[in-house]
Amino acid sequence: MPQMDGRKVVMIATTLTLTAVGIAQIYLPFYADRDKIRGMSEEEDMPAEAKRQMELQRKMMLENQSDTNGGSMWKNMKK
């Protein structure tokens, strides 16, 4: 393997790092919003019935989780 000047190695590493950061800055927002692009985002003007149903499901899920954990030590301290 041929010897390389230390400055060239640092320059190449810096260039590659900056290139990766630049690509991430451009590409990641599009990747993060891919669901919106595909039309799978949640509706902002969701009907009240659907919101209520989702809230009920979330509450039931939280209740089931708290039952299986055997309670929280913080709940016991409040009493």
Side-chain angles (χ1 to χ4, degrees):
M1 188 167 149
Q3 283 188 325
M4 290 187 73
D5 186 23
R7 289 183 179 184
K8 283 186 180 181
V9 172
V10 171
M11 184 178 63
I12 291 170
T14 303
T15 303
L16 290 175
T17 301
L18 291 176
T19 302
V21 169
I23 290 172
Q25 287 291 318
I26 294 169
Y27 180 69
L28 285 179
F30 293 108
Y31 184 75
D33 289 338
R34 69 186 183 278
D35 291 339
K36 286 185 180 180
I37 293 171
R38 294 178 188 161
M40 291 186 272
S41 63
E42 291 185 26
E43 297 178 16
E44 292 179 9
D45 53 342
M46 186 182 295
E49 180 63 28
K51 284 183 183 180
R52 190 176 64 79
Q53 186 70 18
M54 285 177 63
E55 189 68 27
L56 286 172
Q57 286 177 350
R58 187 178 66 80
K59 285 181 182 179
M60 287 175 53
M61 187 174 68
L62 288 174
E63 287 175 2
N64 288 341
Q65 286 180 352
S66 66
D67 291 343
T68 59
N69 290 340
S72 169
M73 70 176 195
W74 301 113
K75 285 183 183 178
N76 297 334
M77 291 180 71
K78 290 181 182 179
K79 291 182 181 180

